[in-house]
Amino acid sequence: MANQVKKAEQGVVVEDLFKLMSLTQVTHGNELTFFVENQADEAKNGYTAKISSVSDKGEYRAWATNGVNLQPTLTPNALFYIGQTSDEKKTPQLFRMPLDGGTAVQVTSGKAKVQQVLASGDGSTVFFTTLSTDEEPKFKTVDKPQTRHVTKLFSHMDAMAGSLMTPNTPLIHSMWLLER
């Protein structure tokens, strides 16, 4: 009992942040409500975002569970989403998973990062946008962040891909149409 009182007096501690989970990007279709479960991962020193659903009957199912998976988008027969590739760069790409079962298939590949995915109203067409650049990161990322003392502000700071981009970095936005 004394131990419980001591914990109650302590309040919220930093480790409690790893127990929190938020639900975002809710979408409904085909008698399923899809959402993204976001959580901090202490062991990997990063975040995870998995796509899950609850049926109209209350049945829970996890669809995309590895890494960061975002923007669940429904068509009549499939779930499209942005997921990280399994390579070391973890480039965001478009994935497709059949709603009646099966495994996810990577639809896009390459250096371009998929930024957005959207289905037409009837679900017969899927649109997605990509972003690419030939600029190399100014700073290499590390497993654990290192403290860096900043003595001046950078103009046009952009933390894309863990780097600070220069003001003249060539960025290419592309919009693609994927027909089923």
Side-chain angles (χ1 to χ4, degrees), residues 22-28 33-38 49 51-52 69-73 81-82:
S22 66
L23 302 180
T24 59
Q25 302 177 15
V26 178
T27 186
H28 183 81
T33 300
F34 285 86
F35 49 90
V36 176
E37 297 179 50
N38 305 285
I51 297 175
S52 303
N69 303 286
L70 303 169
Q71 296 187 26
T73 304
Y81 64 93
I82 299 172

Side-chain angles (χ1 to χ4, degrees), residues 34-160:
F34 285 86
F35 49 90
V36 176
E37 297 179 50
N38 305 285
Q39 191 167 19
D41 186 337
E42 184 176 17
K44 293 181 181 177
N45 191 33
Y47 292 92
T48 60
K50 70 179 182 178
I51 297 175
S52 303
S53 70
V54 174
S55 73
D56 289 348
K57 297 175 185 174
E59 300 162 333
Y60 172 89
R61 176 177 174 187
W63 292 76
T65 58
N66 295 327
V68 177
N69 303 286
L70 303 169
Q71 296 187 26
T73 304
L74 294 171
T75 64
N77 301 318
L79 166 68
F80 286 86
Y81 64 93
I82 299 172
Q84 291 177 324
T85 56
S86 57
D87 64 6
E88 122 184 356
K89 291 190 177 191
K90 301 194 180 313
T91 307
Q93 297 294 339
L94 183 64
F95 288 80
R96 179 186 188 278
M97 182 178 282
L99 290 176
D100 60 0
T103 58
V105 174
Q106 186 174 329
V107 177
T108 60
S109 61
K111 288 173 39 175
K113 300 171 183 172
V114 176
Q115 299 287 299
Q116 266 184 315
V117 59
L118 178 69
S120 62
D122 63 1
S124 63
T125 307
V126 173
F127 300 90
F128 63 96
T129 62
T130 61
L131 175 68
S132 62
T133 182
D134 291 329
E135 183 84 10
E136 289 297 320
K138 191 173 187 178
F139 302 102
K140 298 294 180 194
T141 57
V142 293
D143 291 336
K144 299 284 183 186
Q146 303 296 316
T147 303
R148 183 168 57 111
H149 182 72
V150 178
T151 57
K152 64 180 181 177
L153 293 175
F154 296 97
S155 177
H156 301 281
M157 282 183 36
D158 184 353
M160 186 178 128

